[in-house]
Amino acid sequence: MAGGDKKSNAGSSGGGKKKEVKKETGLGLSYKKDDNFGEWYSEVVVNSEMIEYYDISGCYILRPWAISIWEIMHAFFDAEIKKMEVKNCYFPLFVSPGVLQKEKDHVEGFAPEVAWVTKSGKSDLEVPIAIRPTSETVMYPYYSKWIRGHRDLPLKLNQWCNVVRWEFSNPTPFIRSREFLWQEGHTAFATKEEADIEVLQILELYRQIYEEFLAIPVIKGKKTEMEKFAGGLYTTSVEAFIPNTGRGIQGATSHCLGQNFAKMFEINFENEKGEKCMVWQNSWAYSTRTIGVVVMVHGDDKGLVLPPKVAALQVVVVPVPYKDADTQGIFDACVETVNALSEAGIRAKADLRDNYSPGWKYSDWEMKGVPIRIEIGPRDLANNQVRVVRRDNGSKIDISRVCLVEEVRGVLDEIQENLFEVAKQKRDACIQITRTWDEFVKALGEKKMILAPWCDEEDVEKEVKDRTKGELGAAKSLCTPFDQPELPEGTKCFVSGKPAKKWTYWGRSY
């Protein structure tokens, strides 16, 4: 497994009289992002210590370097939904078959992915029990119990949990895994207007996670009837794009479920006039898939590139002593630098390992994507300065230790902004407007995210899938953007030639 050499080297200092200083990096990637994206991605997530492969296909160990990103997003989102008076809860992992099958469209949408518990020890269970692929059917029987009158509304619950979705091909760490972590919000309202407002409030929070924390541009939009959440009224999403593979990726979804589940689970309330009404419901979720998108969008041939806002470590300080240098003085300056940054709320650490050369450490922290490396050598010590090296573009500047905190904070802000701008430029360069089927096929072959006028007919959408099937997978609608370009009168659908009703994004997807 890639990364194994590094582990064996880490303990090389023990026992000998003189420490052997590891100079050969041995940390480089075997694959380049532009040459073999799939192998590059697999190598990066392991070598950067984000994940470790597990002995069950499609399951992965999320290591602290990955979980720390999840924790930062968790802290932001949890605080924001609490401002909206959403409360956290936890429902069981198991679902009875009778409850799971209550909503026909919903269960048909998830049936292939449901994992079942059929045994206890050596005994067969009388009734198999499903493991949740999502929690609508787990939670809503109890919403029916808890909601009686209009004063019980709105009911707004969220849970941070894991879900299991078993049936799929091509497992990919973070992107397609059999078990993943997510938050799922489930809310119930007296009116559709309230539900509609919340759908967009939550979608805006998801945009903020992607654009303001992960520095990834996304498009807000609505899913087609064919691509919406099974059993829901309508689905909104934030859609990202991976230029290297020419694939869209659904970043997060916020669904209005309408009254369908309320009907199935009898979630009724008495309104102020004493009339019996059904509630309006929403559900919304984002998952650890977000972490995979960060790797894919920002990573390079040296490894991870982490946006400062979500990096577990924002600054690593590396001593660079030469022969006859004041090694202790340099080490002390490193510790003082870390202390000054830490006191200012910047996540910083000194790498004082003495069995690795500075060059080896540079490669190690570059692989892990730490936004800033600070180097302190004899000249820096003499000049009361430090050298700052940016992970995103490799640029180096010397800054005085007198204004260390302000300068470093400024560079972190620049990196965050630059990562977003570079990602947006790359994404925008891949967006192609097409008006005919021939233009569409050409753009698809060039790995584009395609914006095309569409007649909004499901048969035509199915035709796109059928006509683009192949080794790379069929193209499909990604979303209809809320920000609609002008649609001149007389514009025809790119497939059917019928009058177009809207602009919709299309492409291959994960």
Side-chain angles (χ1 to χ4, degrees):
M1 182 55 62
D5 291 341
K6 193 166 121 184
K7 289 180 194 166
S8 61
N9 292 336
S12 63
S13 62
K17 286 182 182 176
K18 187 178 178 184
K19 287 188 174 73
E20 180 192 344
V21 177
K22 185 74 182 168
K23 290 181 180 175
E24 299 299 321
T25 63
L27 295 170
L29 298 169
S30 308
Y31 297 92
K32 293 195 180 299
K33 188 176 184 181
D34 290 342
D35 296 344
N36 190 330
F37 186 85
E39 293 293 346
W40 167 86
Y41 178 81
S42 298
E43 209 176 2
V44 169
V45 292
V46 173
N47 284 18
S48 64
E49 298 182 358
M50 295 275 263
I51 66 120
E52 186 59 82
Y53 283 88
Y54 194 57
D55 63 355
I56 296 172
S57 173
C59 297
Y60 309 96
I61 300 162
L62 303 191
R63 301 184 68 180
W65 205 244
I67 287 293
S68 60
I69 297 173
W70 184 241
E71 286 174 336
I72 289 166
M73 293 188 291
H74 179 296
F76 162 74
F77 190 79
D78 203 58
E80 291 299 318
I81 60 174
K82 280 174 179 164
K83 290 177 193 172
M84 296 168 62
E85 299 187 349
V86 177
K87 292 181 170 62
N88 282 325
C89 63
Y90 185 79
F91 279 74
L93 176 67
F94 303 112
V95 197
S96 65
V99 170
L100 184 67
Q101 289 158 7
K102 208 160 188 176
E103 210 299 318
K104 184 173 160 288
D105 289 341
H106 181 71
V107 74
E108 282 178 4
F110 282 101
E113 301 176 327
V114 177
W116 293 88
V117 179
T118 57
K119 281 183 177 289
S120 169
K122 293 185 178 178
S123 309
D124 289 338
L125 293 183
E126 196 172 317
V127 179
I129 294 170
I131 299 174
R132 64 174 171 228
T134 179
S135 297
E136 281 75 9
T137 57
V138 179
M139 298 169 81
Y140 297 167
Y142 300 91
Y143 280 40
S144 173
K145 184 178 180 180
W146 298 335
I147 296 169
R148 286 284 178 260
H150 63 91
R151 290 183 183 86
D152 298 323
L153 293 170
L155 178 60
K156 301 181 180 184
L157 299 180
N158 175 70
Q159 64 174 359
W160 296 90
C161 63
N162 62 338
V163 286
V164 173
R165 297 183 183 176
W166 203 259
E167 184 70 27
F168 60 79
S169 55
N170 304 319
T172 305
F174 299 115
I175 303 298
R176 292 173 71 84
S177 56
R178 287 191 161 146
E179 179 193 9
F180 54 87
L181 302 179
W182 74 350
Q183 61 69 219
E184 51 175 325
H186 296 270
T187 54
F189 299 91
T191 66
K192 182 175 185 290
E193 288 73 23
E194 292 171 280
D196 288 338
I197 289 166
E198 189 203 59
V199 165
L200 296 182
Q201 284 177 322
I202 293 294
L203 196 69
E204 171 57 18
L205 292 181
Y206 292 151
R207 182 203 65 79
Q208 287 177 40
I209 284 172
Y210 272 94
E211 296 197 341
E212 295 173 21
F213 281 79
L214 305 177
I216 293 166
V218 289
I219 293 164
K220 282 184 180 180
K222 190 175 176 181
K223 291 286 190 182
T224 63
E225 286 296 299
M226 202 164 133
E227 295 293 335
K228 75 177 184 182
F229 183 70
L233 180 63
Y234 65 86
T235 290
T236 68
S237 67
V238 287
E239 300 285 331
F241 187 75
I242 311 300
N244 287 76
T245 60
R247 290 182 185 272
I249 187 157
Q250 182 177 284
T253 48
S254 183
H255 316 284
C256 179
L257 302 178
Q259 294 181 307
N260 202 14
F261 286 89
K263 186 178 179 184
M264 295 300 149
F265 290 95
E266 298 178 3
I267 310 174
N268 302 313
F269 70 100
E270 196 174 275
N271 69 13
E272 289 160 338
K273 296 174 185 173
E275 300 162 337
K276 186 180 174 184
C277 305
M278 284 191 295
V279 299
W280 291 85
Q281 289 177 270
N282 292 340
S283 71
W284 27 270
Y286 81 94
S287 75
T288 37
R289 166 176 274 208
T290 47
I291 301 170
V293 183
V294 170
V295 180
M296 289 182 164
V297 170
H298 299 309
D300 63 18
D301 291 340
K302 291 181 178 180
L304 274 184
V305 179
L306 291 177
K309 278 194 179 181
V310 293
L313 191 60
Q314 295 169 314
V315 180
V316 64
V317 183
V318 180
V320 192
Y322 298 111
K323 285 178 184 174
D324 306 321
D326 178 5
T327 303
Q328 191 56 50
I330 291 169
F331 274 39
D332 290 346
C334 289
V335 172
E336 287 163 16
T337 298
V338 167
N339 290 342
L341 295 171
S342 299
E343 282 168 20
I346 293 167
R347 298 185 288 277
K349 171 184 174 173
D351 186 348
L352 304 178
R353 293 176 291 177
D354 58 0
N355 57 319
Y356 293 99
S357 69
W360 195 97
K361 293 176 186 178
Y362 297 168
S363 296
D364 189 26
W365 294 112
E366 282 173 350
M367 178 68 73
K368 289 181 176 175
V370 175
I372 288 178
R373 179 176 77 242
I374 286 180
E375 302 167 8
I376 301 179
R379 190 173 65 85
D380 302 303
L381 192 64
N383 295 335
N384 198 32
Q385 68 181 31
V386 298
R387 170 154 288 193
V388 170
V389 185
R390 286 172 55 159
R391 175 65 182 88
D392 62 327
N393 62 15
S395 68
K396 301 176 182 182
I397 53 165
D398 294 330
I399 62 171
S400 166
R401 287 174 65 193
V402 176
C403 50
L404 174 79
V405 171
E406 295 81 5
E407 291 278 352
V408 167
R409 192 173 274 136
V411 174
L412 288 170
D413 289 344
E414 284 172 22
I415 294 171
Q416 184 79 28
E417 194 176 318
N418 184 56
L419 283 174
F420 178 79
E421 287 304 322
V422 168
K424 189 172 186 300
Q425 286 166 17
K426 287 180 181 174
R427 193 276 315 265
D428 290 351
C430 291
I431 293 175
Q432 180 104 25
I433 293 173
T434 67
R435 290 180 170 81
T436 67
W437 179 254
D438 288 345
E439 288 175 357
F440 177 86
V441 171
K442 183 173 183 286
L444 193 62
E446 294 168 353
K447 298 183 178 178
K448 301 294 187 183
M449 185 181 195
I450 300 158
L451 185 61
W454 177 45
C455 60
D456 198 14
E457 291 184 13
E458 203 168 294
D459 287 348
V460 175
E461 191 174 357
K462 284 176 183 168
E463 186 184 337
V464 172
K465 275 190 172 181
D466 291 341
R467 289 173 69 180
T468 55
K469 279 178 183 170
E471 275 184 37
L472 296 173
K476 65 176 188 176
S477 64
L478 303 175
C479 76
T480 296
F482 292 140
D483 187 9
Q484 282 279 310
E486 187 186 348
L487 191 67
E489 198 175 329
T491 302
K492 300 280 195 281
C493 171
F494 77 104
V495 189
S496 66
K498 295 177 182 177
K501 293 182 180 174
K502 58 180 70 168
W503 289 94
T504 297
Y505 279 103
W506 305 78
R508 294 194 171 94
S509 75
Y510 282 95

